[in-house]
Every structure is written in C-alpha cells, then in structure tokens.
Amino acid sequence: MTVHVPVAPTTAEPPGRRAVPDRHGTRRQPRPRPERGSSPREGARIRELPRCQVADRLGELGDLYADTSGGGPWAWNEARGAFLRRLTADARRPGFSLLIAETTALTGCAYGFPVRGDGPWWEGFDGYLPGSLLRFAGSGRLFVVCEILVQPWVRRQNQDRAWNLARRLQRRLLTDHDATIGVTLVNRSDAITVEALRSWGWRCLDGDTPGTTPPGPFRVLVLGT
C-alpha cells in the first residue's frame, strides 16, 4: 500500500483562540470554529462500485491517484499508470471490493479483497503473515486492504475522528465483508505511509519501533474492527 502524504500527518487539533476583551473590558470567549475535516456533514457519500463498472471509471480513479501523488508531469503519469495496472490485476481476485467517496466529484476510494484459508495467498504476502492471523483467514475474516486514497487535507486533519474519510472507507470495507482483521503491506522505507496508517488506527504487527523489526522489504500492518 502507498498513502501519499505531502507533509507529515498530525493528530493535533487546531489551537483555540484567546478570549478578546470588548470595549467595556469584558473578556468574551470567541465562537467555536467549525470542525475541519471530512465530516459526513460535508456530504461525502460512500458506496461500493460494482466490479462491472470499475473499467468504466478507471480514468477517474487514475486521476485521483495521480492527484494525490504529487510530483511533476512525468512522475504524475508514471504513478497513474502503475496504480491502474495494480488495480486491474487486483480486480480479478475473488471477493474484490472497491468503495468510492463522492460529493460532486470523486473524493476518495479504497479497495481490497478477502484472504481465504483454502485459496492462494495474495502475491507478495507469502512469508509475511504470522500464524496468529491464519485462523482469521481460515474463517474468511481476514481482509487485505490494498489502497486508501483520500485528499491531502483529509490525511492532515482530524485523523483520529470516526468521521474522517479514510477511517470511514477502511471501516466500511471490513464491515461489508464481515472481516475481523484488515491487513496490508507497506515498504519498510515508506515511513510516511506507516505514520498515516497509524493515525487512522492501524498498528505495526512487528511493533512500532523500527529498530526492533525483523529484516525484510515490507512491514505488516493490521486493523481490527
């Protein structure tokens, strides 16, 4: 998984404003500022995109990925193409599910698929899942989250709120499939993605201290319902 975060995320709330004295010298508390973030009150609607419609929306999904990846035109096109190749391949997997968030335009998406105990492992996952998670796969309650795409301001603000769009997307993926555990792989050098996922409730399976993790190109992150 890659979560594009232009700046380091923070869970801190905006600082409050100081009381300002009026012309009589009385200190009045300022009116509270409206909450910032992807609150449901702002109209982000989440729905599943049927598999038969994914191909028709590839252009929009690719643009969303590229818009959140940053960089110049060359990097934009490269990131977009790589994402679409991964998405096209993953869409063929049994149980594949893709959620989109919309207002007047596409504002986010997340997708993944369940891992079954009687089927082939997700390519690249072999050797990374510990035995403690195998029982969830055997009962169909382990779900691979491949991508979570949201706009930069959603990633920077109010990550710990239940209505944060990233949290809504990942929670909906798991609950729609009766999954107990969500799991994903992140490149070990991608500290920004790890930090973003942790701000949304994920935890590193091998611990949160990089110096204590075993060698290997990826880290396993899990999310419980």
Side-chain angles (χ1 to χ4, degrees), residues 97-127:
S97 177
L98 186 146
L99 301 177
I100 57 174
E102 297 175 303
T103 51
T104 56
L106 188 65
T107 60
C109 81
Y111 76 83
F113 49 86
V115 175
R116 306 295 183 185
D118 56 352
W121 288 107
W122 175 31
E123 182 181 356
F125 233 105
D126 304 68

PDB file of all heavy atoms in Angstrom, residues 97-127:
ATOM      1  N   SER A  97     -13.405  -5.850  -3.802  1.00  0.00           N
ATOM      2  CA  SER A  97     -14.393  -4.812  -3.490  1.00  0.00           C
ATOM      3  C   SER A  97     -13.724  -3.454  -3.536  1.00  0.00           C
ATOM      4  O   SER A  97     -12.626  -3.275  -2.990  1.00  0.00           O
ATOM      5  CB  SER A  97     -14.991  -5.054  -2.094  1.00  0.00           C
ATOM      6  OG  SER A  97     -15.906  -4.029  -1.746  1.00  0.00           O
ATOM      7  N   LEU A  98     -14.390  -2.485  -4.182  1.00  0.00           N
ATOM      8  CA  LEU A  98     -13.862  -1.130  -4.288  1.00  0.00           C
ATOM      9  C   LEU A  98     -14.945  -0.150  -3.856  1.00  0.00           C
ATOM     10  O   LEU A  98     -16.073  -0.186  -4.357  1.00  0.00           O
ATOM     11  CB  LEU A  98     -13.407  -0.833  -5.719  1.00  0.00           C
ATOM     12  CG  LEU A  98     -12.702   0.522  -5.939  1.00  0.00           C
ATOM     13  CD1 LEU A  98     -11.610   0.387  -7.012  1.00  0.00           C
ATOM     14  CD2 LEU A  98     -13.683   1.625  -6.347  1.00  0.00           C
ATOM     15  N   LEU A  99     -14.602   0.707  -2.905  1.00  0.00           N
ATOM     16  CA  LEU A  99     -15.504   1.748  -2.433  1.00  0.00           C
ATOM     17  C   LEU A  99     -15.049   3.087  -2.979  1.00  0.00           C
ATOM     18  O   LEU A  99     -13.851   3.356  -3.073  1.00  0.00           O
ATOM     19  CB  LEU A  99     -15.495   1.822  -0.902  1.00  0.00           C
ATOM     20  CG  LEU A  99     -15.904   0.569  -0.130  1.00  0.00           C
ATOM     21  CD1 LEU A  99     -15.760   0.815   1.368  1.00  0.00           C
ATOM     22  CD2 LEU A  99     -17.334   0.152  -0.469  1.00  0.00           C
ATOM     23  N   ILE A 100     -16.007   3.933  -3.323  1.00  0.00           N
ATOM     24  CA  ILE A 100     -15.680   5.287  -3.739  1.00  0.00           C
ATOM     25  C   ILE A 100     -16.423   6.265  -2.832  1.00  0.00           C
ATOM     26  O   ILE A 100     -17.493   5.953  -2.295  1.00  0.00           O
ATOM     27  CB  ILE A 100     -16.040   5.558  -5.218  1.00  0.00           C
ATOM     28  CG1 ILE A 100     -17.526   5.301  -5.471  1.00  0.00           C
ATOM     29  CG2 ILE A 100     -15.175   4.733  -6.143  1.00  0.00           C
ATOM     30  CD1 ILE A 100     -17.968   5.682  -6.882  1.00  0.00           C
ATOM     31  N   ALA A 101     -15.831   7.429  -2.636  1.00  0.00           N
ATOM     32  CA  ALA A 101     -16.454   8.523  -1.897  1.00  0.00           C
ATOM     33  C   ALA A 101     -16.688   9.655  -2.881  1.00  0.00           C
ATOM     34  O   ALA A 101     -15.789  10.029  -3.644  1.00  0.00           O
ATOM     35  CB  ALA A 101     -15.562   8.983  -0.749  1.00  0.00           C
ATOM     36  N   GLU A 102     -17.896  10.193  -2.881  1.00  0.00           N
ATOM     37  CA  GLU A 102     -18.262  11.211  -3.848  1.00  0.00           C
ATOM     38  C   GLU A 102     -18.983  12.371  -3.175  1.00  0.00           C
ATOM     39  O   GLU A 102     -19.718  12.187  -2.206  1.00  0.00           O
ATOM     40  CB  GLU A 102     -19.182  10.631  -4.920  1.00  0.00           C
ATOM     41  CG  GLU A 102     -18.585   9.531  -5.770  1.00  0.00           C
ATOM     42  CD  GLU A 102     -19.595   8.937  -6.716  1.00  0.00           C
ATOM     43  OE1 GLU A 102     -20.641   8.457  -6.227  1.00  0.00           O
ATOM     44  OE2 GLU A 102     -19.355   8.964  -7.942  1.00  0.00           O
ATOM     45  N   THR A 103     -18.773  13.559  -3.698  1.00  0.00           N
ATOM     46  CA  THR A 103     -19.625  14.704  -3.422  1.00  0.00           C
ATOM     47  C   THR A 103     -20.174  15.099  -4.793  1.00  0.00           C
ATOM     48  O   THR A 103     -21.014  14.408  -5.335  1.00  0.00           O
ATOM     49  CB  THR A 103     -18.838  15.847  -2.755  1.00  0.00           C
ATOM     50  OG1 THR A 103     -17.660  16.128  -3.529  1.00  0.00           O
ATOM     51  CG2 THR A 103     -18.401  15.453  -1.349  1.00  0.00           C
ATOM     52  N   THR A 104     -19.687  16.197  -5.347  1.00  0.00           N
ATOM     53  CA  THR A 104     -19.995  16.488  -6.750  1.00  0.00           C
ATOM     54  C   THR A 104     -18.956  15.869  -7.666  1.00  0.00           C
ATOM     55  O   THR A 104     -19.084  15.916  -8.885  1.00  0.00           O
ATOM     56  CB  THR A 104     -20.043  18.007  -6.976  1.00  0.00           C
ATOM     57  OG1 THR A 104     -18.793  18.579  -6.562  1.00  0.00           O
ATOM     58  CG2 THR A 104     -21.177  18.625  -6.177  1.00  0.00           C
ATOM     59  N   ALA A 105     -17.906  15.304  -7.080  1.00  0.00           N
ATOM     60  CA  ALA A 105     -16.842  14.643  -7.831  1.00  0.00           C
ATOM     61  C   ALA A 105     -16.283  13.521  -6.971  1.00  0.00           C
ATOM     62  O   ALA A 105     -16.630  13.380  -5.798  1.00  0.00           O
ATOM     63  CB  ALA A 105     -15.748  15.638  -8.209  1.00  0.00           C
ATOM     64  N   LEU A 106     -15.404  12.726  -7.555  1.00  0.00           N
ATOM     65  CA  LEU A 106     -14.756  11.641  -6.820  1.00  0.00           C
ATOM     66  C   LEU A 106     -13.769  12.230  -5.813  1.00  0.00           C
ATOM     67  O   LEU A 106     -12.871  12.975  -6.184  1.00  0.00           O
ATOM     68  CB  LEU A 106     -14.038  10.722  -7.803  1.00  0.00           C
ATOM     69  CG  LEU A 106     -13.462   9.415  -7.254  1.00  0.00           C
ATOM     70  CD1 LEU A 106     -14.578   8.496  -6.771  1.00  0.00           C
ATOM     71  CD2 LEU A 106     -12.640   8.714  -8.334  1.00  0.00           C
ATOM     72  N   THR A 107     -13.938  11.908  -4.521  1.00  0.00           N
ATOM     73  CA  THR A 107     -13.085  12.484  -3.485  1.00  0.00           C
ATOM     74  C   THR A 107     -12.205  11.457  -2.780  1.00  0.00           C
ATOM     75  O   THR A 107     -11.301  11.824  -2.036  1.00  0.00           O
ATOM     76  CB  THR A 107     -13.935  13.194  -2.425  1.00  0.00           C
ATOM     77  OG1 THR A 107     -14.829  12.247  -1.825  1.00  0.00           O
ATOM     78  CG2 THR A 107     -14.739  14.325  -3.040  1.00  0.00           C
ATOM     79  N   GLY A 108     -12.453  10.170  -2.977  1.00  0.00           N
ATOM     80  CA  GLY A 108     -11.641   9.153  -2.320  1.00  0.00           C
ATOM     81  C   GLY A 108     -12.048   7.765  -2.769  1.00  0.00           C
ATOM     82  O   GLY A 108     -13.102   7.577  -3.388  1.00  0.00           O
ATOM     83  N   CYS A 109     -11.209   6.792  -2.479  1.00  0.00           N
ATOM     84  CA  CYS A 109     -11.548   5.404  -2.758  1.00  0.00           C
ATOM     85  C   CYS A 109     -10.680   4.491  -1.900  1.00  0.00           C
ATOM     86  O   CYS A 109      -9.644   4.907  -1.365  1.00  0.00           O
ATOM     87  CB  CYS A 109     -11.405   5.057  -4.240  1.00  0.00           C
ATOM     88  SG  CYS A 109      -9.733   4.694  -4.805  1.00  0.00           S
ATOM     89  N   ALA A 110     -11.119   3.271  -1.763  1.00  0.00           N
ATOM     90  CA  ALA A 110     -10.360   2.231  -1.065  1.00  0.00           C
ATOM     91  C   ALA A 110     -10.788   0.899  -1.638  1.00  0.00           C
ATOM     92  O   ALA A 110     -11.959   0.722  -2.000  1.00  0.00           O
ATOM     93  CB  ALA A 110     -10.607   2.279   0.439  1.00  0.00           C
ATOM     94  N   TYR A 111      -9.842  -0.038  -1.724  1.00  0.00           N
ATOM     95  CA  TYR A 111     -10.234  -1.352  -2.250  1.00  0.00           C
ATOM     96  C   TYR A 111      -9.377  -2.444  -1.648  1.00  0.00           C
ATOM     97  O   TYR A 111      -8.307  -2.205  -1.077  1.00  0.00           O
ATOM     98  CB  TYR A 111     -10.174  -1.375  -3.775  1.00  0.00           C
ATOM     99  CG  TYR A 111      -8.801  -1.460  -4.404  1.00  0.00           C
ATOM    100  CD1 TYR A 111      -8.153  -2.687  -4.554  1.00  0.00           C
ATOM    101  CD2 TYR A 111      -8.161  -0.322  -4.877  1.00  0.00           C
ATOM    102  CE1 TYR A 111      -6.910  -2.770  -5.150  1.00  0.00           C
ATOM    103  CE2 TYR A 111      -6.914  -0.389  -5.472  1.00  0.00           C
ATOM    104  CZ  TYR A 111      -6.288  -1.621  -5.613  1.00  0.00           C
ATOM    105  OH  TYR A 111      -5.054  -1.712  -6.195  1.00  0.00           O
ATOM    106  N   GLY A 112      -9.865  -3.659  -1.788  1.00  0.00           N
ATOM    107  CA  GLY A 112      -9.153  -4.829  -1.292  1.00  0.00           C
ATOM    108  C   GLY A 112      -9.927  -6.091  -1.588  1.00  0.00           C
ATOM    109  O   GLY A 112     -10.869  -6.094  -2.398  1.00  0.00           O
ATOM    110  N   PHE A 113      -9.566  -7.177  -0.924  1.00  0.00           N
ATOM    111  CA  PHE A 113     -10.212  -8.473  -1.150  1.00  0.00           C
ATOM    112  C   PHE A 113      -9.953  -9.368   0.052  1.00  0.00           C
ATOM    113  O   PHE A 113      -8.959  -9.197   0.770  1.00  0.00           O
ATOM    114  CB  PHE A 113      -9.695  -9.129  -2.432  1.00  0.00           C
ATOM    115  CG  PHE A 113      -8.204  -9.154  -2.538  1.00  0.00           C
ATOM    116  CD1 PHE A 113      -7.457 -10.177  -1.971  1.00  0.00           C
ATOM    117  CD2 PHE A 113      -7.527  -8.141  -3.193  1.00  0.00           C
ATOM    118  CE1 PHE A 113      -6.077 -10.191  -2.048  1.00  0.00           C
ATOM    119  CE2 PHE A 113      -6.142  -8.142  -3.281  1.00  0.00           C
ATOM    120  CZ  PHE A 113      -5.423  -9.178  -2.701  1.00  0.00           C
ATOM    121  N   PRO A 114     -10.827 -10.341   0.295  1.00  0.00           N
ATOM    122  CA  PRO A 114     -10.627 -11.249   1.437  1.00  0.00           C
ATOM    123  C   PRO A 114      -9.561 -12.288   1.133  1.00  0.00           C
ATOM    124  O   PRO A 114      -9.349 -12.668  -0.023  1.00  0.00           O
ATOM    125  CB  PRO A 114     -12.006 -11.900   1.605  1.00  0.00           C
ATOM    126  CG  PRO A 114     -12.605 -11.840   0.238  1.00  0.00           C
ATOM    127  CD  PRO A 114     -12.097 -10.591  -0.400  1.00  0.00           C
ATOM    128  N   VAL A 115      -8.879 -12.729   2.167  1.00  0.00           N
ATOM    129  CA  VAL A 115      -7.916 -13.831   2.061  1.00  0.00           C
ATOM    130  C   VAL A 115      -8.589 -15.079   2.617  1.00  0.00           C
ATOM    131  O   VAL A 115      -9.049 -15.090   3.760  1.00  0.00           O
ATOM    132  CB  VAL A 115      -6.629 -13.532   2.842  1.00  0.00           C
ATOM    133  CG1 VAL A 115      -5.693 -14.736   2.819  1.00  0.00           C
ATOM    134  CG2 VAL A 115      -5.929 -12.317   2.257  1.00  0.00           C
ATOM    135  N   ARG A 116      -8.666 -16.107   1.810  1.00  0.00           N
ATOM    136  CA  ARG A 116      -9.323 -17.345   2.220  1.00  0.00           C
ATOM    137  C   ARG A 116      -8.287 -18.391   2.608  1.00  0.00           C
ATOM    138  O   ARG A 116      -7.205 -18.453   2.025  1.00  0.00           O
ATOM    139  CB  ARG A 116     -10.193 -17.904   1.086  1.00  0.00           C
ATOM    140  CG  ARG A 116     -11.202 -16.908   0.546  1.00  0.00           C
ATOM    141  CD  ARG A 116     -12.237 -16.532   1.579  1.00  0.00           C
ATOM    142  NE  ARG A 116     -13.247 -15.639   1.027  1.00  0.00           N
ATOM    143  CZ  ARG A 116     -14.209 -15.081   1.738  1.00  0.00           C
ATOM    144  NH1 ARG A 116     -14.286 -15.323   3.041  1.00  0.00           N
ATOM    145  NH2 ARG A 116     -15.073 -14.265   1.173  1.00  0.00           N
ATOM    146  N   GLY A 117      -8.634 -19.207   3.584  1.00  0.00           N
ATOM    147  CA  GLY A 117      -7.714 -20.239   4.024  1.00  0.00           C
ATOM    148  C   GLY A 117      -7.523 -21.349   3.013  1.00  0.00           C
ATOM    149  O   GLY A 117      -6.513 -22.058   3.041  1.00  0.00           O
ATOM    150  N   ASP A 118      -8.493 -21.520   2.078  1.00  0.00           N
ATOM    151  CA  ASP A 118      -8.412 -22.621   1.118  1.00  0.00           C
ATOM    152  C   ASP A 118      -8.000 -22.150  -0.273  1.00  0.00           C
ATOM    153  O   ASP A 118      -8.118 -22.881  -1.245  1.00  0.00           O
ATOM    154  CB  ASP A 118      -9.763 -23.335   1.020  1.00  0.00           C
ATOM    155  CG  ASP A 118     -10.902 -22.387   0.650  1.00  0.00           C
ATOM    156  OD1 ASP A 118     -10.651 -21.161   0.621  1.00  0.00           O
ATOM    157  OD2 ASP A 118     -12.017 -22.865   0.406  1.00  0.00           O
ATOM    158  N   GLY A 119      -7.514 -20.901  -0.395  1.00  0.00           N
ATOM    159  CA  GLY A 119      -7.144 -20.399  -1.707  1.00  0.00           C
ATOM    160  C   GLY A 119      -5.716 -19.893  -1.730  1.00  0.00           C
ATOM    161  O   GLY A 119      -5.010 -19.924  -0.719  1.00  0.00           O
ATOM    162  N   PRO A 120      -5.267 -19.422  -2.877  1.00  0.00           N
ATOM    163  CA  PRO A 120      -3.891 -18.913  -2.985  1.00  0.00           C
ATOM    164  C   PRO A 120      -3.735 -17.609  -2.216  1.00  0.00           C
ATOM    165  O   PRO A 120      -4.653 -16.799  -2.118  1.00  0.00           O
ATOM    166  CB  PRO A 120      -3.724 -18.687  -4.495  1.00  0.00           C
ATOM    167  CG  PRO A 120      -5.118 -18.461  -4.992  1.00  0.00           C
ATOM    168  CD  PRO A 120      -6.003 -19.330  -4.141  1.00  0.00           C
ATOM    169  N   TRP A 121      -2.535 -17.416  -1.653  1.00  0.00           N
ATOM    170  CA  TRP A 121      -2.245 -16.182  -0.941  1.00  0.00           C
ATOM    171  C   TRP A 121      -2.087 -15.036  -1.925  1.00  0.00           C
ATOM    172  O   TRP A 121      -1.726 -15.231  -3.085  1.00  0.00           O
ATOM    173  CB  TRP A 121      -0.961 -16.325  -0.126  1.00  0.00           C
ATOM    174  CG  TRP A 121      -1.121 -17.198   1.076  1.00  0.00           C
ATOM    175  CD1 TRP A 121      -0.641 -18.451   1.251  1.00  0.00           C
ATOM    176  CD2 TRP A 121      -1.839 -16.881   2.262  1.00  0.00           C
ATOM    177  NE1 TRP A 121      -1.008 -18.939   2.470  1.00  0.00           N
ATOM    178  CE2 TRP A 121      -1.738 -17.996   3.114  1.00  0.00           C
ATOM    179  CE3 TRP A 121      -2.548 -15.763   2.687  1.00  0.00           C
ATOM    180  CZ2 TRP A 121      -2.333 -18.026   4.367  1.00  0.00           C
ATOM    181  CZ3 TRP A 121      -3.136 -15.788   3.943  1.00  0.00           C
ATOM    182  CH2 TRP A 121      -3.023 -16.900   4.760  1.00  0.00           C
ATOM    183  N   TRP A 122      -2.357 -13.861  -1.430  1.00  0.00           N
ATOM    184  CA  TRP A 122      -2.095 -12.672  -2.210  1.00  0.00           C
ATOM    185  C   TRP A 122      -0.619 -12.654  -2.573  1.00  0.00           C
ATOM    186  O   TRP A 122       0.243 -12.822  -1.723  1.00  0.00           O
ATOM    187  CB  TRP A 122      -2.463 -11.447  -1.368  1.00  0.00           C
ATOM    188  CG  TRP A 122      -2.139 -10.125  -1.992  1.00  0.00           C
ATOM    189  CD1 TRP A 122      -2.125  -9.809  -3.306  1.00  0.00           C
ATOM    190  CD2 TRP A 122      -1.800  -8.932  -1.286  1.00  0.00           C
ATOM    191  NE1 TRP A 122      -1.805  -8.497  -3.476  1.00  0.00           N
ATOM    192  CE2 TRP A 122      -1.595  -7.929  -2.266  1.00  0.00           C
ATOM    193  CE3 TRP A 122      -1.663  -8.600   0.060  1.00  0.00           C
ATOM    194  CZ2 TRP A 122      -1.260  -6.625  -1.924  1.00  0.00           C
ATOM    195  CZ3 TRP A 122      -1.323  -7.299   0.397  1.00  0.00           C
ATOM    196  CH2 TRP A 122      -1.123  -6.328  -0.584  1.00  0.00           C
ATOM    197  N   GLU A 123      -0.354 -12.449  -3.840  1.00  0.00           N
ATOM    198  CA  GLU A 123       1.043 -12.423  -4.311  1.00  0.00           C
ATOM    199  C   GLU A 123       1.834 -11.373  -3.540  1.00  0.00           C
ATOM    200  O   GLU A 123       1.426 -10.219  -3.421  1.00  0.00           O
ATOM    201  CB  GLU A 123       1.070 -12.090  -5.806  1.00  0.00           C
ATOM    202  CG  GLU A 123       2.472 -12.079  -6.400  1.00  0.00           C
ATOM    203  CD  GLU A 123       2.464 -11.725  -7.866  1.00  0.00           C
ATOM    204  OE1 GLU A 123       1.375 -11.562  -8.431  1.00  0.00           O
ATOM    205  OE2 GLU A 123       3.564 -11.597  -8.425  1.00  0.00           O
ATOM    206  N   GLY A 124       2.957 -11.769  -2.996  1.00  0.00           N
ATOM    207  CA  GLY A 124       3.785 -10.865  -2.219  1.00  0.00           C
ATOM    208  C   GLY A 124       3.565 -10.971  -0.730  1.00  0.00           C
ATOM    209  O   GLY A 124       4.324 -10.420   0.052  1.00  0.00           O
ATOM    210  N   PHE A 125       2.504 -11.686  -0.305  1.00  0.00           N
ATOM    211  CA  PHE A 125       2.207 -11.812   1.106  1.00  0.00           C
ATOM    212  C   PHE A 125       2.838 -13.054   1.725  1.00  0.00           C
ATOM    213  O   PHE A 125       2.934 -13.154   2.952  1.00  0.00           O
ATOM    214  CB  PHE A 125       0.695 -11.872   1.327  1.00  0.00           C
ATOM    215  CG  PHE A 125       0.200 -10.875   2.327  1.00  0.00           C
ATOM    216  CD1 PHE A 125      -0.470  -9.748   1.904  1.00  0.00           C
ATOM    217  CD2 PHE A 125       0.416 -11.042   3.680  1.00  0.00           C
ATOM    218  CE1 PHE A 125      -0.930  -8.823   2.812  1.00  0.00           C
ATOM    219  CE2 PHE A 125      -0.036 -10.123   4.601  1.00  0.00           C
ATOM    220  CZ  PHE A 125      -0.711  -9.008   4.161  1.00  0.00           C
ATOM    221  N   ASP A 126       3.236 -13.985   0.900  1.00  0.00           N
ATOM    222  CA  ASP A 126       3.817 -15.221   1.406  1.00  0.00           C
ATOM    223  C   ASP A 126       5.025 -14.927   2.286  1.00  0.00           C
ATOM    224  O   ASP A 126       5.912 -14.171   1.921  1.00  0.00           O
ATOM    225  CB  ASP A 126       4.251 -16.122   0.241  1.00  0.00           C
ATOM    226  CG  ASP A 126       3.108 -16.424  -0.715  1.00  0.00           C
ATOM    227  OD1 ASP A 126       2.667 -15.483  -1.390  1.00  0.00           O
ATOM    228  OD2 ASP A 126       2.651 -17.571  -0.759  1.00  0.00           O
ATOM    229  N   GLY A 127       5.047 -15.542   3.460  1.00  0.00           N
ATOM    230  CA  GLY A 127       6.172 -15.375   4.355  1.00  0.00           C
ATOM    231  C   GLY A 127       6.060 -14.200   5.296  1.00  0.00           C
ATOM    232  O   GLY A 127       6.897 -14.047   6.186  1.00  0.00           O
TER     233      GLY A 127
END
